[in-house]
């Protein structure tokens, strides 16, 4: 197979969103249960989703396109990985949340894929020996609610060894009401304020941008967003709106 090089843009050196600033966003938060107005996926529904993906994959290997937390925390033993670009999609903080890294009183944002542009990330191969088990664990992590089962889809990605078909999550069509285009100013406010039992949205942004930078991947919007969140956290810290908090892992 002909190898196709994937161009990368040199990442700026210094991040504005530092670990010290991120640490100020941590606080003790109790688990409030399921996301409001969504129904937790049942074991049977999860099994049906696993079967659907297996049928769609047929006898082929399953590769997963990672563009956010799956890059730095895949949750399974990665059998192989490659740099990858998904054309026709871009990563964006466009998924509003009230759980995990947020609460109903202080909502936040998580990453999703929205139509248009391109998105550089990784493809991760599920181990053949534990493929079904790892797939179920992965789906249970990403798809917690029955209403969002259609946020599992296959995308075509370009890798150094050619084109691959890869499974991904939260790739939202223009018609979907689950994600929305959110101005960076508004996104920075939500990300700076939100924290839940799983950590803060600022931590999620920091870890993602740092991982991308370490891979020499430059996402212009996320780079600008970490600058804006850092500026907001500094301002809040100076006027006393942020106190020292304890992180719950």
């Amino acid at each position: 197979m002909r190898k196709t090089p994937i161009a990368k843009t040199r990442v700026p050196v210094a991040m504005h969103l530092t670990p010290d600033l991120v640490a100020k966003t941590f606080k003790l938060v109790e688990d409030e249960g399921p996301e409001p107005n969504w129904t937790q996926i049942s074991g049977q529904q999860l099994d049906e989703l696993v079967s659907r993906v297996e049928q769609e994959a047929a006898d082929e290997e399953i590769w997963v396109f990672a563009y956010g937390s799956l890059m730095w925390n895949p949750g399974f033993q990665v059998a192989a990985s490659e740099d990858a670009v998904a054309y026709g999609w871009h990563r964006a903080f466009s998924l509003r949340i009230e759980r995990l890294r947020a609460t109903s009183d202080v909502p936040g944002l998580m990453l999703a894929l929205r139509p248009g542009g391109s998105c550089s990330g990784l493809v991760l191969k599920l181990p053949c020996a534990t493929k079904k088990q790892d797939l179920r664990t992965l789906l249970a992590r990403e798809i917690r609610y029955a209403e969002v089962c259609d946020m599992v889809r296959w995308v075509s990605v370009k890798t150094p060894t050619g084109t691959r078909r890869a499974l991904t999550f939260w790739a939202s069509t223009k018609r979907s009401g689950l994600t929305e285009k959110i101005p960076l100013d508004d996104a920075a406010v939500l990300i700076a304020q939100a924290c839940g039992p799983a950590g803060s949205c600022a931590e999620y942004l920091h870890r993602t941008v740092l991982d991308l930078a370490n891979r020499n991947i430059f996402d212009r919007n996320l780079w600008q967003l970490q600058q804006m969140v850092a500026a907001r956290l500094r301002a809040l810290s100076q006027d006393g709106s942020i106190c020292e908090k304890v992180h719950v892992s």
Side-chain angles (χ1 to χ4, degrees):
M1 185 180 294
R2 183 180 178 183
K3 293 188 177 182
T4 305
I6 294 178
K8 293 187 178 181
T9 305
R10 186 169 181 80
V11 178
V13 177
M15 284 183 59
H16 293 240
L17 186 59
T18 63
D20 286 345
L21 283 174
V22 171
K24 295 179 182 295
T25 66
F26 297 144
K27 60 184 177 181
L28 194 64
V29 179
E30 293 185 2
D31 191 339
E32 296 179 315
E35 193 86 19
N37 304 316
W38 285 4
T39 309
Q40 280 190 296
I41 191 169
S42 68
Q44 180 180 346
Q45 289 171 319
L46 182 58
D47 288 338
E48 291 171 353
L49 187 55
V50 171
S51 296
R52 189 198 97 190
V53 173
E54 287 182 320
Q55 290 172 5
E56 292 169 349
D59 295 327
E60 297 180 2
E61 300 167 336
I62 295 181
W63 291 78
V64 178
F65 179 61
Y67 60 90
S69 62
L70 285 177
M71 297 180 68
W72 42 266
N73 182 27
F76 61 90
Q77 190 67 40
V78 177
S81 68
E82 291 184 307
D83 294 337
V85 180
Y87 291 99
W89 299 94
H90 66 278
R91 62 169 67 78
F93 277 87
S94 59
L95 176 64
R96 294 183 183 268
I97 57 168
E98 296 183 28
R99 295 294 184 267
L100 292 178
R101 293 181 179 272
T103 64
S104 292
D105 289 338
V106 188
L109 294 173
M110 296 289 278
L111 280 174
L113 289 178
R114 300 195 78 248
S118 64
C119 178
S120 296
L122 300 175
V123 280
L124 312 174
K125 181 183 173 183
L126 292 177
C128 294
T130 56
K131 182 168 66 173
K132 187 181 184 73
Q133 176 185 337
D134 288 336
L135 177 60
R136 194 179 197 280
T137 300
L138 184 58
L139 289 169
R141 163 183 163 171
E142 295 292 328
I143 307 298
R144 298 169 179 264
Y145 303 102
E147 292 86 353
V148 299
C149 286
D150 62 347
M151 290 293 101
V152 181
R153 70 173 63 248
W154 298 90
V155 295
S156 178
V157 299
K158 184 81 64 117
T159 77
T161 58
T163 300
R164 288 196 183 279
R165 180 173 176 251
L167 191 69
T168 199
F169 305 98
W170 299 100
S172 180
T173 64
K174 291 181 179 179
R175 295 184 298 276
S176 175
L178 290 173
T179 66
E180 57 183 308
K181 184 175 181 179
I182 298 175
L184 289 183
D185 286 343
D186 295 343
V189 171
L190 291 168
I191 291 169
Q193 72 182 10
C195 184
S200 70
C201 285
E203 177 195 28
Y204 176 81
L205 171 64
H206 176 263
R207 293 193 67 176
T208 301
V209 176
L210 183 62
D211 188 86
L212 291 171
N214 288 337
R215 300 179 192 280
N216 206 29
I217 298 173
F218 177 58
D219 186 304
R220 181 180 57 192
N221 285 340
L222 261 62
W223 192 263
Q224 184 177 354
L225 190 55
Q226 63 87 21
Q227 293 175 320
M228 297 169 70
V229 170
R232 181 165 181 81
L233 289 175
R234 286 194 189 94
L236 291 172
S237 182
Q238 290 171 359
D239 69 17
S241 298
I242 296 181
C243 61
E244 293 297 326
K245 300 168 182 177
V246 178
H247 175 45
V248 181
S249 59

